[in-house]
Amino acid sequence: MSLAPDPENPPGTSRSTSATIQPNILRCLVTVADERGIDLRPLLKQVGLDETVMRSAALRVSYRQGSAVIRRALELTRDERLGLKVGAAQHLTAWGLLGFALMADDTLRHAIETGVKYQNLSGAMVVWSAATSEQDDAFVLRADLPDPAMDPAVASFLSEEAFASVVALSRLAVDPAFAPRAVEFSFPPPRQLDLYGVLFRCPVRFGAPTNRMLIDATWARTRMPGRDPVAYASALEMLDAQMASRRDQQDLLEVLEISVAQSLPVIPSFAEQARRHATSERTLRRRLADCGTTYEALVEGVRRERVEQLLLRRELTLRDIARRAGFSDERALRRAVRRWHGTSPVHLRERMRTDRS
């Protein structure tokens, strides 16, 4: 059985400037950094997240804000396995009502499926999906990145944090002895491997086609110690109400941004996007107008972010960047960067590198 995304409630996170993500990861990141004597609060303030704002239960951050904080935290700590440590330090209470629902659920598998269904309320910065393996009876949890051109260091952090948090929360909510059958990461093998074995207690593979965790059927069927059907049903009613309130303009922009980002260098036509949403072009255009934007402006924003990400990669030429961002040639790329930043791609690349040093 595969748990497919709900077309009216697309999983994942905002890729760009839409503030839709609960900052659970950032809050835990601050705590882990504090324990190492590194204060991330000035960094948070730089992206508009001062300490007072971070304490707000209503706070939502954008994908760009979250990625910027994570990237800089990796640079400051010089800890390549920071994602594992942040994931391992989390607790279900950080997920609020969703965490309570998971503890009151029936089995571990069903709790994971509930988490996947309501992932937009958990602060997830990956796109979760779950299914039963066709080869055996293992339950497979998959974590895809919302943008394939993400900074490799941030991508590794988010992948590690995702699976480390699942393992940590399963041990807290189900059994301290919980261990997956295997964990697979799409990034290359790191220099230090010890922490993976200590944390996951199972084989860990790298360079895999996708990020995924395999859970034995016995563990998947394990009953949740705090299961309570009445409390679970009550929590789901409130979660559904929260989800309904999120099916608004931000959700539309978010799913369109992710769709464009995952399709680059090919840009889906507006007609294709309308078909994907099972709506008419006229209706989709009106909904975007209600959001104060157009499809053309949205595509422009995604391509701009893609170019900024690619310029930070030293090994890529301007021709490479133009091709990967969907431009016809370098001249089109130069015109776009001049329009966005008032300078050339070469000067922008130098400035961005200087800002990061």
Side-chain angles (χ1 to χ4, degrees):
M1 186 274 287
S2 173
L3 190 64
D6 180 348
E8 293 186 2
N9 177 40
T13 56
S14 172
R15 296 186 49 270
S16 186
T17 56
S18 302
T20 61
I21 310 168
Q22 290 188 342
N24 297 340
I25 294 176
L26 298 189
R27 289 186 177 121
C28 190
L29 178 58
V30 169
T31 300
V32 172
D34 278 344
E35 293 171 354
R36 305 188 57 170
I38 297 174
D39 185 5
L40 295 181
R41 291 167 186 81
L43 172 61
L44 290 168
K45 193 170 184 180
Q46 288 177 13
V47 295
L49 301 172
D50 61 32
E51 198 158 5
T52 301
V53 170
M54 285 292 287
R55 291 198 190 103
S56 171
L59 174 64
R60 299 293 182 270
V61 299
S62 71
Y63 191 82
R64 177 173 290 184
Q65 285 174 312
S67 297
V69 172
I70 291 169
R71 185 181 301 111
R72 186 58 178 152
L74 288 166
E75 295 169 352
L76 290 173
T77 62
R78 298 181 181 179
D79 187 346
E80 295 180 347
R81 305 284 68 84
L82 188 61
L84 290 178
K85 296 169 185 175
V86 170
Q90 293 186 41
H91 196 282
L92 278 166
T93 53
W95 291 16
L97 181 60
L98 177 57
F100 176 77
L102 300 184
M103 289 187 287
D105 213 330
D106 184 40
T107 64
L108 176 59
R109 171 182 176 143
H110 201 269
I112 290 174
E113 291 176 338
T114 298
V116 170
K117 180 178 180 180
Y118 295 100
Q119 61 184 284
N120 280 346
L121 302 178
S122 71
M125 292 183 69
V126 297
V127 181
W128 289 108
S129 58
T132 300
S133 172
E134 297 179 358
Q135 287 74 29
D136 50 39
D137 60 351
F139 184 58
V140 181
L141 182 61
R142 178 168 162 169
D144 292 314
L145 299 170
D147 189 337
M150 182 185 299
D151 181 303
V154 176
S156 297
F157 174 98
L158 292 178
S159 303
E160 292 177 345
E161 184 278 332
F163 289 140
S165 64
V166 169
V167 168
L169 298 178
S170 296
R171 288 172 182 161
L172 287 170
V174 182
D175 191 322
F178 170 79
R181 177 188 298 181
V183 174
E184 298 176 351
F185 291 109
S186 60
F187 54 83
R191 288 173 292 184
Q192 298 178 341
L193 297 173
D194 294 348
L195 190 55
Y196 292 91
V198 171
L199 176 61
F200 293 115
R201 305 175 197 164
C202 71
V204 179
R205 294 186 281 271
F206 300 92
T210 59
N211 299 307
R212 64 177 195 160
M213 175 185 293
L214 282 69
I215 301 173
D216 280 326
T218 301
W219 276 118
R221 291 192 296 264
T222 300
R223 302 293 292 273
M224 300 294 287
R227 62 186 180 280
D228 185 321
V230 175
Y232 177 72
S234 177
L236 286 196
E237 287 184 9
M238 290 184 280
L239 287 172
D240 285 335
Q242 290 183 19
M243 292 291 282
S245 68
R246 282 179 50 87
R247 293 186 184 117
D248 56 8
Q249 298 171 350
Q250 291 287 14
D251 286 329
L252 174 64
L253 297 179
E254 180 178 324
V255 73
L256 287 173
E257 286 179 339
I258 291 176
S259 173
V260 173
Q262 292 182 331
S263 299
L264 284 176
V266 177
I267 299 172
S269 69
F270 188 71
E272 174 61 23
Q273 295 287 17
R275 284 194 295 271
R276 291 179 184 180
H277 286 77
T279 188
S280 68
E281 293 182 46
R282 180 178 180 181
T283 298
L284 183 56
R285 188 171 289 109
R286 176 181 54 77
R287 292 181 64 192
L288 285 171
D290 290 341
C291 297
T293 190
T294 64
Y295 183 59
E296 292 75 18
L298 184 144
V299 170
E300 180 98 339
V302 173
R303 295 172 84 189
R304 172 176 175 169
E305 185 172 4
R306 176 63 58 84
V307 168
E308 292 170 357
Q309 291 171 339
L310 296 175
L311 282 172
L312 291 171
R313 297 176 57 177
R314 297 176 181 273
E315 76 277 11
L316 297 180
T317 66
L318 292 184
R319 179 178 296 178
D320 294 332
I321 294 171
R323 177 177 54 81
R324 295 190 184 195
F327 289 99
S328 57
D329 52 33
E330 291 180 49
R331 288 180 298 177
L333 172 65
R334 291 193 186 96
R335 288 195 295 269
V337 172
R338 178 73 64 178
R339 183 171 67 252
W340 298 332
H341 295 280
T343 188
S344 70
V346 173
H347 289 158
L348 177 61
R349 170 177 261 172
E350 293 174 353
R351 188 172 72 197
M352 292 170 67
R353 289 175 178 171
T354 300
D355 290 343
R356 293 188 64 184
S357 62

